[in-house]
Amino acid sequence: MSLFDLINPFSYITPIHADDEPVESESAAVVASDVVEAEVEVIESVEASNADSESSDEEEEQEEEEEEEEEEEEEEEEEDPVDPKEAIVEACSETMSCKSLKHHYEECAARVENGSQESCAEEFLHFMHCVDHC
């Protein structure tokens, strides 16, 4: 036996030549049976842990469902926030600088309701510009 055979982890594999018949050594059979036994042990341990985890998975799912229900209840209890822009626009439209522009816009809107063909876009934009700068 050479030094290489002692170091080589694949020493149970014998070199073959294309013309030789396949030969299986005893060490290869022993290693193969050890591998199979190890795989069986791993499979059994995985199956056992899966059985344990199935019951814990069910408990975790129930806990998650309860947490989701609590979150939904909290969300339902919270009121929708009120948009402050509407209050700001209303307050700003009553200021001296914007009051006249609001009056011009309302007069234009009244004319359009009475059948006028004009557009009140200019008056509306001036009024909104004033409110935005308020």
Side-chain angles (χ1 to χ4, degrees), residues 10 13 37 43 47 49 62 80 106 110-111 133:
F10 301 107
I13 300 175
E37 289 175 8
I43 290 172
E47 288 175 351
S49 66
Q62 289 176 352
D80 291 331
E106 289 174 347
R111 288 192 303 269
H133 285 287

Side-chain angles (χ1 to χ4, degrees), residues 22-43:
V23 176
E24 188 172 312
S25 67
E26 285 183 26
S27 61
V30 170
V31 170
S33 66
D34 290 344
V35 169
V36 170
E37 289 175 8
E39 288 178 353
V40 168
E41 290 176 9
V42 169
I43 290 172

Side-chain angles (χ1 to χ4, degrees), residues 34-130:
D34 290 344
V35 169
V36 170
E37 289 175 8
E39 288 178 353
V40 168
E41 290 176 9
V42 169
I43 290 172
E44 289 174 352
S45 66
V46 167
E47 288 175 351
S49 66
N50 283 345
D52 293 340
S53 67
E54 284 179 8
S55 61
S56 63
D57 286 345
E58 291 174 2
E59 292 174 3
E60 289 176 8
E61 287 178 11
Q62 289 176 352
E63 290 175 4
E64 288 176 6
E65 289 176 4
E66 291 174 1
E67 289 175 5
E68 288 176 4
E69 289 175 3
E70 290 175 5
E71 289 176 5
E72 288 176 7
E73 289 175 3
E74 289 176 4
E75 289 176 6
E76 289 175 2
E77 291 175 3
E78 295 176 7
E79 294 181 13
D80 291 331
V82 177
D83 187 14
K85 183 180 179 184
E86 295 174 9
I88 294 171
V89 168
E90 188 67 34
C92 288
S93 66
E94 299 301 323
T95 61
M96 289 301 283
S97 58
C98 297
K99 199 170 195 174
S100 64
L101 293 171
K102 180 181 178 182
H103 178 72
H104 286 295
Y105 171 66
E106 289 174 347
E107 283 182 346
C108 180
R111 288 192 303 269
V112 168
E113 286 179 12
N114 290 332
S116 175
Q117 297 297 321
E118 67 180 308
S119 170
C120 299
E122 184 178 351
E123 288 83 356
F124 177 74
L125 292 175
H126 286 299
F127 171 64
M128 291 308 296
H129 180 74
C130 179

